[in-house]
Amino acid sequence: MKTNISMHSQLMDLLRAYWNIAINCLQWGDTGKGKFVDLITYWADVIVRGRGGANAGHSVLLGDEEYVFHLIPSSILHDIDGKVSIIGNGVAVDPRILCDELALLKAKNQSYNNFMLALNAKLTLPTQIVRDRIVDKAGGKVVIGTTGRGIGPTYSDHALRIGLEINDLLNPDILAKNVRNNVTYSLKVLQGYDPEIIKDVMHHEHLSRGLYYHPKKIFDVDSIITRYLQFGEELAEFIQDTDSFVQAAVGRRKILLEGSQGALLDVDNGTRPYVTGTSTIVDGLAIGAGFNLHKHHVDLALGVVKFPYMTRVGSGPFPTEFGDRMSEEWCRDATQEKDLEQFATASTNDINEFSQGGAIRRLGREFGATTRRPRRTGWLDLPLLRYAMRWGSENVILTKPDVLDTCEQIKICTSYIYDGPDYRVGTRVLTKGTSLREATPMACVLEHCKPVYEILPGWQRSIRGIRHFQDLPPQLISVLNFVGAEAGIKPKMISVGPAAEETIIV
Ligand code: GDP
Ligand code: IMO
Ligand code: MG
């Protein structure tokens, strides 16, 4: 690891008292969980991903090289130091993507001798990827703007008791029976959709370009079974009862839980219905990692918060978005190349917010690590952060303030004014003009919330080289103090660049 010795000793001082630490995001994902899992792996012995699937994209910088992990924990580059990296029971695993990730590590001479895969993790099938892609674009219109990785259908089939698990890969007869069962159900779901669109989707690269397609039956069941048995052979040596391994490790070895997505994408508590298919908050993560919450607890939950701007990928309301609807539509349709061309010379101080948001996207390299979609950008939203804190703790890691180094003004959304039709929230009625200090997460409310801003001066100098809190510009410290007091957060680390060493331990 390239980080300096003084930072490592500060990190160990900060974390010494803990046994079980979780890192998850308090926004809509992509806040830098990968960077911090990689960094905090220095402290940990066992690292477990507990939720989500290949919808996640976690970036880790190793020297000048960027690795993006979708399924394998972001700790894997420290396998050589004996760190155990586990995909836990709550993860939706597409074996094609997992095998590709392992092959990439092998090609780069990175070891994965201590990698384990939960035998009861959820197995994503081609049927689920097709359904995700077709149903989310029903009638040609994007509904949620999913990543198209089959996440929603994998978890919904699990709840319907027609899902498969990783261990099925090791048992040909069970696999065949369960695949057939799932295909029967999936064909019913796909009835009524245009066969030409289905054929098109079945030829997508994520579906091995037509490998599983049958011109008459849609799914070539034998081909699915054959390919999945091959995956099973490739993965067999890693498949284990990781729940018992993790439970035996609790209290004996330092455990780091790697979250995916973010609290605002949580299926139960996020900005519904624009959420992912599983629980992404700390408790969901811990259960998905194999914890028994009656006996084991996370003693430090570090919530990662992009600061003082934020991003969102996919559809759904975003009250502080630079350029509002125009930005949402642009980011839905544009490619990374087109976006970079459009905003090549845009400034972070542009009075046109759509351009300002484009400049921030360019400087923050805000393009989906999984889908390459331009991420929507907007100012830090405290009503949403206060809401997300219900599921997190005050201990946070703040990331990416360096992206706003050139901003003359920083705007922080402190509350909303509701501007929609009367809406009942339990015993309360929201009417036009109602002020909200904490967000109400339902999309039908959020889409009518107008942000109220506090404007603070920017620091207007580069902070990437700073390693000590006291060296931060006073304007940035004022913004930190303001947000800390308003949202009740206590930053434990501040990230000033993508590399592990670009971190200030507070
Ligand atoms: P994750 O999904 O939460 O792991 O985050 P992603 O990897 O999807 O996106 C975060 C991006 O920001 C990655 O490209 C990181 O390398 C980068 N990053 C992380 N922290 C910082 C930071 O403090 N400053 C800058 N400029 N980039 C950062
Ligand atoms: P990491 O772990 C950002 C979003 C999608 C979409 C919604 C549902 O890298 O932070 P899904 O494919 O999960 O059914 O899509 O959730 N989404 C993410 N956004 N970061 C992620 O992961 C995400 N995973 C899912 O864009 O809006
Ligand atoms: Mg990401």
Side-chain angles (χ1 to χ4, degrees), residues 30 49 51-58 69-71 91-92 97 132 146-152 155 260-261 265 276-278 280 369-371 373:
D30 301 329
R49 255 274 323 252
R51 289 287 172 169
N55 48 351
H58 297 172
F69 298 109
H70 301 291
L71 285 165
V91 179
I97 294 180
D132 187 14
T146 73
T147 59
R149 299 299 196 266
I151 303 302
Y155 287 111
S260 51
Q261 290 78 52
L265 288 171
T276 188
T278 189
T280 60
T370 294
T371 56
R373 288 181 287 180

Side-chain angles (χ1 to χ4, degrees), residues 269-333:
N269 310 295
T271 50
R272 304 178 298 276
Y274 298 95
V275 292
T276 188
T278 189
S279 167
T280 60
I281 59 173
V282 177
D283 282 3
L285 165 61
I287 292 170
F291 272 38
N292 169 348
L293 290 185
H294 294 295
K295 292 190 195 156
H296 317 133
H297 68 278
V298 170
D299 40 30
L300 179 66
L302 290 167
V304 192
V305 175
K306 211 173 268 187
F307 163 93
Y309 73 103
M310 56 196 286
T311 57
R312 163 161 223 178
V313 194
S315 316
F318 185 173
T320 59
E321 184 166 12
F322 299 112
D324 290 325
R325 280 284 147 89
M326 195 197 249
S327 161
E328 179 175 2
E329 282 165 24
W330 170 266
C331 292
R332 188 187 59 212
D333 301 329

Side-chain angles (χ1 to χ4, degrees), residues 34-46:
K35 162 176 167 166
F36 281 92
V37 168
D38 170 69
L39 177 63
I40 297 177
T41 292
Y42 184 77
W43 162 90
D45 302 310
V46 177

